[in-house]
Amino acid sequence: MSTTPSTRAADLDAADPLAPHRDLFVGAETPLVYFDGNSLGRPLRSTGPRIAAFVEETWGGRLIRGWDEQWLDLPRRVGDDIGRICLGAAPGQTIVGDSTTVLLYKAMRAAVAARPGRTEIVLDTDNFPTDRYVAAAVAEECGLTLRWIEVDLETGVHPEQLTDAVGPATALVVLSHVAYRSAWLADGPALTAIAHDAGALVLWDLSHSGGSVELALDAWDVDLAVGCTYKYLNGGPGAPAYVYVAARLIDDLQQPIRGWIGHAEPFLMGPDFAPAPGIRRMLSGTPPVLGMLAMQDMLGLLEQVGMAAVRAKSVALTGFAIELADELLAPHGVRVASPRESARRGGHVTLQHPAMREVVAALWERDVIPDYRDPGGLRLGLSPLSTSFAEVETGMVRVAEEVARRA
Ligand SMILES: *Cc1c(COP(=O)(O)O)cnc(C)c1O
């Protein structure tokens, strides 16, 4: 390359139509380099005033009246927003509920019950831990077997692997759309079609996809999906997750945690449970209203910018990070452990080196915040609207310094 990394970063920022949005986030004015937007997104500046106004005016002013006036309906309203803005989902199929883990459990139990007589859940060995643990628990409870797809840690599930794993015994296929370690972007429509050809349902974990890559759940004919809101949807620590169930399935599904809020008539307070028609049956108890405030700010911004533009910036950021890794880090023995082909890469990049655990600890001391994932992986999560190319360059230079010091 003829120009220096910092000149290239400055040129990329100058040409980036989304660059001005970075100032909308808390902390943009500080020199901190934040490479963990895929674990916990930065708050928007508008979120503080939104939460304060909610306490003063809505909670403090409306009190119990708030439930009828807006809160009971909020999980569906925000769910529809997530569906429209991020998932490619028509209204009435997405709802905000419990944690990702709990929604995975409810969705998996509902799905396997909808495929009686089938005895297997198919999933991959590098699926996120919570997905693997929940699938194991569901299998144990329902007398099913787990069938594992062994995946390469630097890529993910390929269509031919799924074809080999599914069959007449498959009840459910559980896959991550973007792999949390490698960032492998699975082929959503192809893998969904393979599961359907075997007569199985498919459940996608969208935790690293929602708000980062483009999704078209309705067009892909997806059955169920669950995703996290504190990553690329900037909902804040512990913000509740969302679940999508295709309209063609929802009225035949029964999830296992039957609470009054998922009842057809919660305020009838009757003796027996009857599931609500539609997506509200995926709820169980009182909605986490406070937890749904911050994500509404990010959803508004994502809608204004559009997911296609967000994805284009994401690809440019991860592409620049890989270019700098080749230039600055490869000479010190660091390997890129994420797909180089942008069409198969989500919003983060993993860099592999035996010293990365210590490198990450040293970087945190220097206000460069990536995260560490075994074995030897430094993960750069580049949230498209809050990360600049200059930030990527500053951080990568420091990664190179810390790796070189240990080489
Ligand atoms: C972050 C993440 C989760 C998080 O689950 P919680 O219940 O919110 O802790 C689940 N699955 C994947 C793939 C994730 O990346």
mmCIF file of all heavy atoms in Angstrom, residues 5-6 9 13 22 31-36 320-321 324-325 328-329 351 356 359-360 362-364 366-370 378-382 387-404:
data_model
loop_
_atom_site.group_PDB
_atom_site.id
_atom_site.type_symbol
_atom_site.label_atom_id
_atom_site.label_comp_id
_atom_site.label_asym_id
_atom_site.label_seq_id
_atom_site.Cartn_x
_atom_site.Cartn_y
_atom_site.Cartn_z
ATOM 1 N N PRO A 5 -1.738 3.620 6.949
ATOM 2 C CA PRO A 5 -3.056 3.241 7.482
ATOM 3 C C PRO A 5 -3.861 4.446 7.972
ATOM 4 O O PRO A 5 -5.074 4.511 7.743
ATOM 5 C CB PRO A 5 -2.704 2.289 8.633
ATOM 6 C CG PRO A 5 -1.414 1.662 8.207
ATOM 7 C CD PRO A 5 -0.658 2.761 7.487
ATOM 8 N N SER A 6 -3.201 5.410 8.605
ATOM 9 C CA SER A 6 -3.999 6.519 9.151
ATOM 10 C C SER A 6 -4.540 7.423 8.042
ATOM 11 O O SER A 6 -5.648 7.949 8.156
ATOM 12 C CB SER A 6 -3.207 7.312 10.195
ATOM 13 O OG SER A 6 -2.128 7.946 9.604
ATOM 14 N N ALA A 9 -7.521 5.556 6.690
ATOM 15 C CA ALA A 9 -8.653 5.652 7.616
ATOM 16 C C ALA A 9 -9.335 7.015 7.477
ATOM 17 O O ALA A 9 -10.572 7.099 7.415
ATOM 18 C CB ALA A 9 -8.185 5.429 9.048
ATOM 19 N N ASP A 13 -13.190 7.644 6.368
ATOM 20 C CA ASP A 13 -14.153 8.393 7.189
ATOM 21 C C ASP A 13 -14.736 9.571 6.411
ATOM 22 O O ASP A 13 -15.938 9.844 6.491
ATOM 23 C CB ASP A 13 -13.484 8.888 8.482
ATOM 24 C CG ASP A 13 -13.435 7.796 9.550
ATOM 25 O OD1 ASP A 13 -14.395 6.999 9.635
ATOM 26 O OD2 ASP A 13 -12.430 7.734 10.288
ATOM 27 N N ARG A 22 -21.977 8.801 14.233
ATOM 28 C CA ARG A 22 -21.172 8.361 15.369
ATOM 29 C C ARG A 22 -21.340 9.310 16.573
ATOM 30 O O ARG A 22 -21.363 8.869 17.722
ATOM 31 C CB ARG A 22 -19.697 8.279 14.948
ATOM 32 C CG ARG A 22 -18.812 7.688 16.011
ATOM 33 C CD ARG A 22 -17.428 7.354 15.455
ATOM 34 N NE ARG A 22 -16.633 6.728 16.479
ATOM 35 C CZ ARG A 22 -15.939 7.378 17.396
ATOM 36 N NH1 ARG A 22 -15.915 8.704 17.388
ATOM 37 N NH2 ARG A 22 -15.268 6.717 18.325
ATOM 38 N N PRO A 31 -11.325 9.318 23.575
ATOM 39 C CA PRO A 31 -10.374 8.572 22.733
ATOM 40 C C PRO A 31 -10.513 7.050 22.868
ATOM 41 O O PRO A 31 -9.775 6.318 22.206
ATOM 42 C CB PRO A 31 -9.003 9.033 23.256
ATOM 43 C CG PRO A 31 -9.252 9.510 24.639
ATOM 44 C CD PRO A 31 -10.679 9.964 24.725
ATOM 45 N N LEU A 32 -11.453 6.575 23.691
ATOM 46 C CA LEU A 32 -11.616 5.126 23.858
ATOM 47 C C LEU A 32 -11.886 4.456 22.509
ATOM 48 O O LEU A 32 -12.682 4.949 21.718
ATOM 49 C CB LEU A 32 -12.797 4.850 24.790
ATOM 50 C CG LEU A 32 -13.016 3.366 25.096
ATOM 51 C CD1 LEU A 32 -12.292 2.980 26.386
ATOM 52 C CD2 LEU A 32 -14.494 3.042 25.215
ATOM 53 N N VAL A 33 -11.204 3.333 22.265
ATOM 54 C CA VAL A 33 -11.452 2.545 21.057
ATOM 55 C C VAL A 33 -12.339 1.381 21.467
ATOM 56 O O VAL A 33 -11.933 0.535 22.274
ATOM 57 C CB VAL A 33 -10.126 2.032 20.458
ATOM 58 C CG1 VAL A 33 -10.408 1.063 19.312
ATOM 59 C CG2 VAL A 33 -9.278 3.204 19.971
ATOM 60 N N TYR A 34 -13.572 1.363 20.948
ATOM 61 C CA TYR A 34 -14.532 0.359 21.399
ATOM 62 C C TYR A 34 -14.745 -0.695 20.323
ATOM 63 O O TYR A 34 -15.323 -0.423 19.268
ATOM 64 C CB TYR A 34 -15.860 1.033 21.772
ATOM 65 C CG TYR A 34 -16.768 0.096 22.534
ATOM 66 C CD1 TYR A 34 -16.288 -0.575 23.659
ATOM 67 C CD2 TYR A 34 -18.072 -0.131 22.136
ATOM 68 C CE1 TYR A 34 -17.100 -1.457 24.363
ATOM 69 C CE2 TYR A 34 -18.890 -1.009 22.842
ATOM 70 C CZ TYR A 34 -18.394 -1.666 23.948
ATOM 71 O OH TYR A 34 -19.199 -2.541 24.641
ATOM 72 N N PHE A 35 -14.244 -1.882 20.599
ATOM 73 C CA PHE A 35 -14.346 -3.005 19.664
ATOM 74 C C PHE A 35 -15.288 -4.081 20.205
ATOM 75 O O PHE A 35 -15.123 -5.255 19.894
ATOM 76 C CB PHE A 35 -12.964 -3.639 19.440
ATOM 77 C CG PHE A 35 -12.035 -2.854 18.544
ATOM 78 C CD1 PHE A 35 -10.658 -3.080 18.588
ATOM 79 C CD2 PHE A 35 -12.515 -1.923 17.639
ATOM 80 C CE1 PHE A 35 -9.790 -2.389 17.750
ATOM 81 C CE2 PHE A 35 -11.649 -1.215 16.801
ATOM 82 C CZ PHE A 35 -10.287 -1.460 16.862
ATOM 83 N N ASP A 36 -16.239 -3.693 21.043
ATOM 84 C CA ASP A 36 -17.127 -4.697 21.625
ATOM 85 C C ASP A 36 -18.598 -4.344 21.424
ATOM 86 O O ASP A 36 -19.458 -4.757 22.210
ATOM 87 C CB ASP A 36 -16.820 -4.878 23.111
ATOM 88 C CG ASP A 36 -16.490 -6.331 23.431
ATOM 89 O OD1 ASP A 36 -16.942 -7.213 22.677
ATOM 90 O OD2 ASP A 36 -15.787 -6.575 24.423
ATOM 91 N N PHE A 320 -11.672 -3.320 6.199
ATOM 92 C CA PHE A 320 -10.516 -2.485 6.561
ATOM 93 C C PHE A 320 -9.727 -3.135 7.698
ATOM 94 O O PHE A 320 -8.490 -3.153 7.686
ATOM 95 C CB PHE A 320 -11.018 -1.084 6.956
ATOM 96 C CG PHE A 320 -9.929 -0.083 7.238
ATOM 97 C CD1 PHE A 320 -8.906 0.138 6.325
ATOM 98 C CD2 PHE A 320 -9.930 0.638 8.431
ATOM 99 C CE1 PHE A 320 -7.903 1.081 6.581
ATOM 100 C CE2 PHE A 320 -8.936 1.582 8.699
ATOM 101 C CZ PHE A 320 -7.917 1.804 7.773
ATOM 102 N N ALA A 321 -10.444 -3.707 8.670
ATOM 103 C CA ALA A 321 -9.759 -4.377 9.795
ATOM 104 C C ALA A 321 -8.921 -5.553 9.281
ATOM 105 O O ALA A 321 -7.785 -5.764 9.731
ATOM 106 C CB ALA A 321 -10.780 -4.853 10.830
ATOM 107 N N LEU A 324 -5.813 -4.235 7.555
ATOM 108 C CA LEU A 324 -4.791 -3.821 8.526
ATOM 109 C C LEU A 324 -4.181 -5.029 9.240
ATOM 110 O O LEU A 324 -2.997 -5.023 9.576
ATOM 111 C CB LEU A 324 -5.382 -2.845 9.545
ATOM 112 C CG LEU A 324 -5.831 -1.489 8.991
ATOM 113 C CD1 LEU A 324 -6.337 -0.604 10.127
ATOM 114 C CD2 LEU A 324 -4.698 -0.789 8.251
ATOM 115 N N ALA A 325 -4.992 -6.055 9.458
ATOM 116 C CA ALA A 325 -4.448 -7.267 10.100
ATOM 117 C C ALA A 325 -3.373 -7.878 9.201
ATOM 118 O O ALA A 325 -2.310 -8.284 9.676
ATOM 119 C CB ALA A 325 -5.568 -8.276 10.351
ATOM 120 N N LEU A 328 -0.329 -5.196 9.350
ATOM 121 C CA LEU A 328 0.348 -4.891 10.611
ATOM 122 C C LEU A 328 0.550 -6.115 11.506
ATOM 123 O O LEU A 328 1.465 -6.132 12.329
ATOM 124 C CB LEU A 328 -0.457 -3.851 11.414
ATOM 125 C CG LEU A 328 -0.838 -2.553 10.706
ATOM 126 C CD1 LEU A 328 -1.767 -1.718 11.577
ATOM 127 C CD2 LEU A 328 0.427 -1.757 10.359
ATOM 128 N N LEU A 329 -0.335 -7.105 11.390
ATOM 129 C CA LEU A 329 -0.319 -8.207 12.366
ATOM 130 C C LEU A 329 0.209 -9.518 11.796
ATOM 131 O O LEU A 329 0.828 -10.292 12.525
ATOM 132 C CB LEU A 329 -1.735 -8.438 12.899
ATOM 133 C CG LEU A 329 -2.351 -7.258 13.647
ATOM 134 C CD1 LEU A 329 -3.813 -7.550 13.963
ATOM 135 C CD2 LEU A 329 -1.598 -6.987 14.930
ATOM 136 N N LEU A 351 -9.223 -12.481 15.377
ATOM 137 C CA LEU A 351 -7.792 -12.567 15.069
ATOM 138 C C LEU A 351 -7.151 -13.563 16.027
ATOM 139 O O LEU A 351 -7.351 -13.472 17.246
ATOM 140 C CB LEU A 351 -7.138 -11.190 15.252
ATOM 141 C CG LEU A 351 -7.755 -10.052 14.441
ATOM 142 C CD1 LEU A 351 -7.147 -8.715 14.853
ATOM 143 C CD2 LEU A 351 -7.557 -10.293 12.948
ATOM 144 N N MET A 356 -3.046 -13.933 22.630
ATOM 145 C CA MET A 356 -4.154 -12.967 22.611
ATOM 146 C C MET A 356 -4.785 -12.725 23.984
ATOM 147 O O MET A 356 -5.264 -11.628 24.250
ATOM 148 C CB MET A 356 -5.228 -13.378 21.604
ATOM 149 C CG MET A 356 -4.900 -13.017 20.169
ATOM 150 S SD MET A 356 -4.360 -11.306 19.923
ATOM 151 C CE MET A 356 -4.343 -11.257 18.113
ATOM 152 N N VAL A 359 -2.694 -10.150 25.392
ATOM 153 C CA VAL A 359 -2.791 -8.955 24.542
ATOM 154 C C VAL A 359 -4.088 -8.206 24.848
ATOM 155 O O VAL A 359 -4.089 -6.980 25.026
ATOM 156 C CB VAL A 359 -2.717 -9.346 23.042
ATOM 157 C CG1 VAL A 359 -3.137 -8.187 22.137
ATOM 158 C CG2 VAL A 359 -1.304 -9.808 22.681
ATOM 159 N N VAL A 360 -5.184 -8.935 24.971
ATOM 160 C CA VAL A 360 -6.470 -8.277 25.242
ATOM 161 C C VAL A 360 -6.439 -7.597 26.611
ATOM 162 O O VAL A 360 -6.888 -6.452 26.765
ATOM 163 C CB VAL A 360 -7.650 -9.272 25.115
ATOM 164 C CG1 VAL A 360 -8.948 -8.666 25.641
ATOM 165 C CG2 VAL A 360 -7.827 -9.692 23.648
ATOM 166 N N ALA A 362 -3.860 -6.372 28.139
ATOM 167 C CA ALA A 362 -3.021 -5.166 28.018
ATOM 168 C C ALA A 362 -3.759 -4.061 27.260
ATOM 169 O O ALA A 362 -3.657 -2.883 27.607
ATOM 170 C CB ALA A 362 -1.714 -5.516 27.303
ATOM 171 N N LEU A 363 -4.539 -4.434 26.249
ATOM 172 C CA LEU A 363 -5.280 -3.432 25.470
ATOM 173 C C LEU A 363 -6.338 -2.737 26.327
ATOM 174 O O LEU A 363 -6.539 -1.525 26.226
ATOM 175 C CB LEU A 363 -5.935 -4.093 24.251
ATOM 176 C CG LEU A 363 -4.969 -4.508 23.133
ATOM 177 C CD1 LEU A 363 -5.674 -5.451 22.152
ATOM 178 C CD2 LEU A 363 -4.429 -3.294 22.384
ATOM 179 N N TRP A 364 -7.022 -3.508 27.183
ATOM 180 C CA TRP A 364 -8.035 -2.902 28.069
ATOM 181 C C TRP A 364 -7.393 -1.829 28.943
ATOM 182 O O TRP A 364 -7.997 -0.794 29.209
ATOM 183 C CB TRP A 364 -8.727 -3.984 28.935
ATOM 184 C CG TRP A 364 -9.830 -4.711 28.208
ATOM 185 C CD1 TRP A 364 -9.767 -5.243 26.954
ATOM 186 C CD2 TRP A 364 -11.156 -4.977 28.681
ATOM 187 N NE1 TRP A 364 -10.969 -5.836 26.624
ATOM 188 C CE2 TRP A 364 -11.844 -5.696 27.667
ATOM 189 C CE3 TRP A 364 -11.835 -4.696 29.874
ATOM 190 C CZ2 TRP A 364 -13.168 -6.126 27.800
ATOM 191 C CZ3 TRP A 364 -13.161 -5.127 30.012
ATOM 192 C CH2 TRP A 364 -13.809 -5.832 28.973
ATOM 193 N N ARG A 366 -5.104 0.053 28.070
ATOM 194 C CA ARG A 366 -4.792 1.195 27.196
ATOM 195 C C ARG A 366 -6.046 1.760 26.533
ATOM 196 O O ARG A 366 -5.965 2.445 25.510
ATOM 197 C CB ARG A 366 -3.793 0.758 26.120
ATOM 198 C CG ARG A 366 -2.462 0.287 26.685
ATOM 199 C CD ARG A 366 -1.496 -0.113 25.571
ATOM 200 N NE ARG A 366 -1.125 1.042 24.759
ATOM 201 C CZ ARG A 366 -0.420 0.965 23.623
ATOM 202 N NH1 ARG A 366 -0.015 -0.204 23.171
ATOM 203 N NH2 ARG A 366 -0.114 2.053 22.949
ATOM 204 N N ASP A 367 -7.211 1.451 27.097
ATOM 205 C CA ASP A 367 -8.482 1.972 26.548
ATOM 206 C C ASP A 367 -8.758 1.533 25.115
ATOM 207 O O ASP A 367 -9.330 2.290 24.316
ATOM 208 C CB ASP A 367 -8.544 3.505 26.664
ATOM 209 C CG ASP A 367 -9.086 3.942 28.020
ATOM 210 O OD1 ASP A 367 -9.438 3.062 28.837
ATOM 211 O OD2 ASP A 367 -9.147 5.166 28.263
ATOM 212 N N VAL A 368 -8.371 0.307 24.819
ATOM 213 C CA VAL A 368 -8.788 -0.343 23.570
ATOM 214 C C VAL A 368 -9.533 -1.590 24.011
ATOM 215 O O VAL A 368 -8.969 -2.439 24.713
ATOM 216 C CB VAL A 368 -7.583 -0.717 22.682
ATOM 217 C CG1 VAL A 368 -8.049 -1.485 21.443
ATOM 218 C CG2 VAL A 368 -6.816 0.537 22.276
ATOM 219 N N ILE A 369 -10.830 -1.684 23.674
ATOM 220 C CA ILE A 369 -11.695 -2.709 24.269
ATOM 221 C C ILE A 369 -12.219 -3.696 23.220
ATOM 222 O O ILE A 369 -13.326 -3.533 22.708
ATOM 223 C CB ILE A 369 -12.900 -2.054 25.014
ATOM 224 C CG1 ILE A 369 -12.482 -0.836 25.837
ATOM 225 C CG2 ILE A 369 -13.640 -3.078 25.866
ATOM 226 C CD1 ILE A 369 -11.688 -1.170 27.093
ATOM 227 N N PRO A 370 -11.431 -4.729 22.912
ATOM 228 C CA PRO A 370 -11.981 -5.864 22.156
ATOM 229 C C PRO A 370 -12.411 -6.917 23.169
ATOM 230 O O PRO A 370 -12.414 -6.633 24.375
ATOM 231 C CB PRO A 370 -10.780 -6.380 21.361
ATOM 232 C CG PRO A 370 -9.596 -6.038 22.213
ATOM 233 C CD PRO A 370 -9.982 -4.897 23.134
ATOM 234 N N LEU A 378 -8.860 -12.847 19.523
ATOM 235 C CA LEU A 378 -9.240 -11.472 19.843
ATOM 236 C C LEU A 378 -10.365 -11.124 18.884
ATOM 237 O O LEU A 378 -10.234 -11.254 17.674
ATOM 238 C CB LEU A 378 -8.044 -10.533 19.634
ATOM 239 C CG LEU A 378 -8.260 -9.039 19.863
ATOM 240 C CD1 LEU A 378 -6.952 -8.380 20.285
ATOM 241 C CD2 LEU A 378 -8.799 -8.317 18.637
ATOM 242 N N ARG A 379 -11.513 -10.698 19.466
ATOM 243 C CA ARG A 379 -12.680 -10.444 18.633
ATOM 244 C C ARG A 379 -12.916 -8.946 18.527
ATOM 245 O O ARG A 379 -13.038 -8.256 19.538
ATOM 246 C CB ARG A 379 -13.888 -11.143 19.274
ATOM 247 C CG ARG A 379 -14.938 -11.571 18.290
ATOM 248 C CD ARG A 379 -15.994 -12.419 18.971
ATOM 249 N NE ARG A 379 -16.584 -11.726 20.112
ATOM 250 C CZ ARG A 379 -17.758 -12.028 20.649
ATOM 251 N NH1 ARG A 379 -18.473 -13.009 20.161
ATOM 252 N NH2 ARG A 379 -18.222 -11.366 21.683
ATOM 253 N N LEU A 380 -12.985 -8.455 17.280
ATOM 254 C CA LEU A 380 -13.256 -7.042 17.006
ATOM 255 C C LEU A 380 -14.709 -6.930 16.581
ATOM 256 O O LEU A 380 -15.068 -7.365 15.491
ATOM 257 C CB LEU A 380 -12.416 -6.558 15.824
ATOM 258 C CG LEU A 380 -10.904 -6.713 15.851
ATOM 259 C CD1 LEU A 380 -10.348 -6.454 14.455
ATOM 260 C CD2 LEU A 380 -10.314 -5.723 16.839
ATOM 261 N N GLY A 381 -15.540 -6.353 17.440
ATOM 262 C CA GLY A 381 -16.952 -6.165 17.084
ATOM 263 C C GLY A 381 -17.133 -4.720 16.651
ATOM 264 O O GLY A 381 -17.017 -3.806 17.464
ATOM 265 N N LEU A 382 -17.416 -4.501 15.369
ATOM 266 C CA LEU A 382 -17.408 -3.141 14.815
ATOM 267 C C LEU A 382 -18.840 -2.700 14.539
ATOM 268 O O LEU A 382 -19.375 -2.922 13.457
ATOM 269 C CB LEU A 382 -16.548 -3.129 13.551
ATOM 270 C CG LEU A 382 -15.138 -3.719 13.756
ATOM 271 C CD1 LEU A 382 -14.376 -3.782 12.444
ATOM 272 C CD2 LEU A 382 -14.348 -2.928 14.802
ATOM 273 N N THR A 387 -18.866 3.202 15.109
ATOM 274 C CA THR A 387 -17.428 2.952 14.952
ATOM 275 C C THR A 387 -16.914 3.696 13.726
ATOM 276 O O THR A 387 -17.542 3.649 12.663
ATOM 277 C CB THR A 387 -17.164 1.440 14.780
ATOM 278 O OG1 THR A 387 -17.792 0.735 15.847
ATOM 279 C CG2 THR A 387 -15.668 1.133 14.790
ATOM 280 N N SER A 388 -15.769 4.374 13.874
ATOM 281 C CA SER A 388 -15.164 5.067 12.729
ATOM 282 C C SER A 388 -13.978 4.253 12.216
ATOM 283 O O SER A 388 -13.436 3.395 12.922
ATOM 284 C CB SER A 388 -14.689 6.462 13.141
ATOM 285 O OG SER A 388 -13.641 6.336 14.086
ATOM 286 N N PHE A 389 -13.577 4.540 10.983
ATOM 287 C CA PHE A 389 -12.397 3.881 10.421
ATOM 288 C C PHE A 389 -11.138 4.307 11.190
ATOM 289 O O PHE A 389 -10.225 3.498 11.387
ATOM 290 C CB PHE A 389 -12.278 4.205 8.924
ATOM 291 C CG PHE A 389 -13.375 3.576 8.106
ATOM 292 C CD1 PHE A 389 -14.546 4.274 7.831
ATOM 293 C CD2 PHE A 389 -13.261 2.278 7.636
ATOM 294 C CE1 PHE A 389 -15.575 3.698 7.091
ATOM 295 C CE2 PHE A 389 -14.286 1.682 6.897
ATOM 296 C CZ PHE A 389 -15.441 2.401 6.625
ATOM 297 N N ALA A 390 -11.107 5.560 11.660
ATOM 298 C CA ALA A 390 -9.956 6.019 12.444
ATOM 299 C C ALA A 390 -9.842 5.217 13.751
ATOM 300 O O ALA A 390 -8.741 4.884 14.197
ATOM 301 C CB ALA A 390 -10.088 7.510 12.750
ATOM 302 N N GLU A 391 -10.994 4.897 14.331
ATOM 303 C CA GLU A 391 -11.004 4.097 15.566
ATOM 304 C C GLU A 391 -10.423 2.702 15.282
ATOM 305 O O GLU A 391 -9.626 2.176 16.067
ATOM 306 C CB GLU A 391 -12.458 3.995 16.038
ATOM 307 C CG GLU A 391 -12.662 3.581 17.462
ATOM 308 C CD GLU A 391 -14.159 3.581 17.830
ATOM 309 O OE1 GLU A 391 -15.016 3.960 16.993
ATOM 310 O OE2 GLU A 391 -14.463 3.180 18.968
ATOM 311 N N VAL A 392 -10.806 2.130 14.150
ATOM 312 C CA VAL A 392 -10.283 0.815 13.764
ATOM 313 C C VAL A 392 -8.759 0.900 13.610
ATOM 314 O O VAL A 392 -8.016 0.055 14.127
ATOM 315 C CB VAL A 392 -10.922 0.322 12.441
ATOM 316 C CG1 VAL A 392 -10.253 -0.963 11.946
ATOM 317 C CG2 VAL A 392 -12.423 0.087 12.631
ATOM 318 N N GLU A 393 -8.302 1.945 12.949
ATOM 319 C CA GLU A 393 -6.859 2.080 12.696
ATOM 320 C C GLU A 393 -6.092 2.260 14.012
ATOM 321 O O GLU A 393 -5.093 1.584 14.250
ATOM 322 C CB GLU A 393 -6.633 3.259 11.740
ATOM 323 C CG GLU A 393 -5.228 3.357 11.201
ATOM 324 C CD GLU A 393 -4.323 4.247 12.035
ATOM 325 O OE1 GLU A 393 -4.840 5.087 12.803
ATOM 326 O OE2 GLU A 393 -3.088 4.097 11.941
ATOM 327 N N THR A 394 -6.568 3.148 14.884
ATOM 328 C CA THR A 394 -5.897 3.372 16.174
ATOM 329 C C THR A 394 -5.812 2.061 16.952
ATOM 330 O O THR A 394 -4.757 1.712 17.503
ATOM 331 C CB THR A 394 -6.705 4.392 17.023
ATOM 332 O OG1 THR A 394 -6.872 5.569 16.254
ATOM 333 C CG2 THR A 394 -6.017 4.720 18.322
ATOM 334 N N GLY A 395 -6.933 1.349 16.991
ATOM 335 C CA GLY A 395 -6.967 0.100 17.755
ATOM 336 C C GLY A 395 -6.039 -0.944 17.172
ATOM 337 O O GLY A 395 -5.315 -1.621 17.911
ATOM 338 N N MET A 396 -6.032 -1.067 15.858
ATOM 339 C CA MET A 396 -5.215 -2.109 15.230
ATOM 340 C C MET A 396 -3.722 -1.826 15.402
ATOM 341 O O MET A 396 -2.926 -2.750 15.566
ATOM 342 C CB MET A 396 -5.581 -2.241 13.747
ATOM 343 C CG MET A 396 -6.965 -2.805 13.524
ATOM 344 S SD MET A 396 -7.155 -4.517 14.097
ATOM 345 C CE MET A 396 -6.400 -5.349 12.721
ATOM 346 N N VAL A 397 -3.345 -0.557 15.389
ATOM 347 C CA VAL A 397 -1.933 -0.213 15.634
ATOM 348 C C VAL A 397 -1.542 -0.658 17.049
ATOM 349 O O VAL A 397 -0.486 -1.241 17.270
ATOM 350 C CB VAL A 397 -1.693 1.303 15.417
ATOM 351 C CG1 VAL A 397 -0.338 1.729 15.967
ATOM 352 C CG2 VAL A 397 -1.823 1.647 13.940
ATOM 353 N N ARG A 398 -2.457 -0.448 18.007
ATOM 354 C CA ARG A 398 -2.135 -0.859 19.389
ATOM 355 C C ARG A 398 -2.131 -2.378 19.532
ATOM 356 O O ARG A 398 -1.311 -2.927 20.280
ATOM 357 C CB ARG A 398 -3.107 -0.222 20.377
ATOM 358 C CG ARG A 398 -2.856 1.271 20.412
ATOM 359 C CD ARG A 398 -3.490 1.959 21.594
ATOM 360 N NE ARG A 398 -3.536 3.385 21.284
ATOM 361 C CZ ARG A 398 -4.427 4.228 21.761
ATOM 362 N NH1 ARG A 398 -5.357 3.806 22.590
ATOM 363 N NH2 ARG A 398 -4.395 5.488 21.429
ATOM 364 N N VAL A 399 -3.017 -3.058 18.824
ATOM 365 C CA VAL A 399 -2.979 -4.528 18.844
ATOM 366 C C VAL A 399 -1.605 -4.980 18.332
ATOM 367 O O VAL A 399 -0.945 -5.839 18.942
ATOM 368 C CB VAL A 399 -4.098 -5.153 17.974
ATOM 369 C CG1 VAL A 399 -3.949 -6.677 17.911
ATOM 370 C CG2 VAL A 399 -5.482 -4.786 18.511
ATOM 371 N N ALA A 400 -1.153 -4.375 17.239
ATOM 372 C CA ALA A 400 0.143 -4.754 16.657
ATOM 373 C C ALA A 400 1.272 -4.515 17.666
ATOM 374 O O ALA A 400 2.162 -5.361 17.822
ATOM 375 C CB ALA A 400 0.389 -3.968 15.372
ATOM 376 N N GLU A 401 1.222 -3.392 18.370
ATOM 377 C CA GLU A 401 2.272 -3.095 19.361
ATOM 378 C C GLU A 401 2.290 -4.151 20.466
ATOM 379 O O GLU A 401 3.350 -4.627 20.876
ATOM 380 C CB GLU A 401 2.036 -1.713 19.991
ATOM 381 C CG GLU A 401 2.313 -0.564 19.036
ATOM 382 C CD GLU A 401 1.776 0.788 19.548
ATOM 383 O OE1 GLU A 401 1.201 0.841 20.679
ATOM 384 O OE2 GLU A 401 1.916 1.755 18.791
ATOM 385 N N GLU A 402 1.087 -4.515 20.943
ATOM 386 C CA GLU A 402 1.029 -5.478 22.049
ATOM 387 C C GLU A 402 1.426 -6.875 21.606
ATOM 388 O O GLU A 402 2.043 -7.618 22.371
ATOM 389 C CB GLU A 402 -0.367 -5.483 22.683
ATOM 390 C CG GLU A 402 -0.737 -4.188 23.398
ATOM 391 C CD GLU A 402 0.216 -3.835 24.543
ATOM 392 O OE1 GLU A 402 0.813 -4.752 25.155
ATOM 393 O OE2 GLU A 402 0.384 -2.621 24.814
ATOM 394 N N VAL A 403 1.058 -7.259 20.369
ATOM 395 C CA VAL A 403 1.457 -8.580 19.875
ATOM 396 C C VAL A 403 2.979 -8.598 19.679
ATOM 397 O O VAL A 403 3.659 -9.551 20.084
ATOM 398 C CB VAL A 403 0.729 -8.949 18.576
ATOM 399 C CG1 VAL A 403 1.275 -10.251 17.996
ATOM 400 C CG2 VAL A 403 -0.779 -9.101 18.830
ATOM 401 N N ALA A 404 3.507 -7.520 19.082
ATOM 402 C CA ALA A 404 4.954 -7.465 18.794
ATOM 403 C C ALA A 404 5.763 -7.581 20.093
ATOM 404 O O ALA A 404 6.789 -8.276 20.144
ATOM 405 C CB ALA A 404 5.293 -6.149 18.083
#
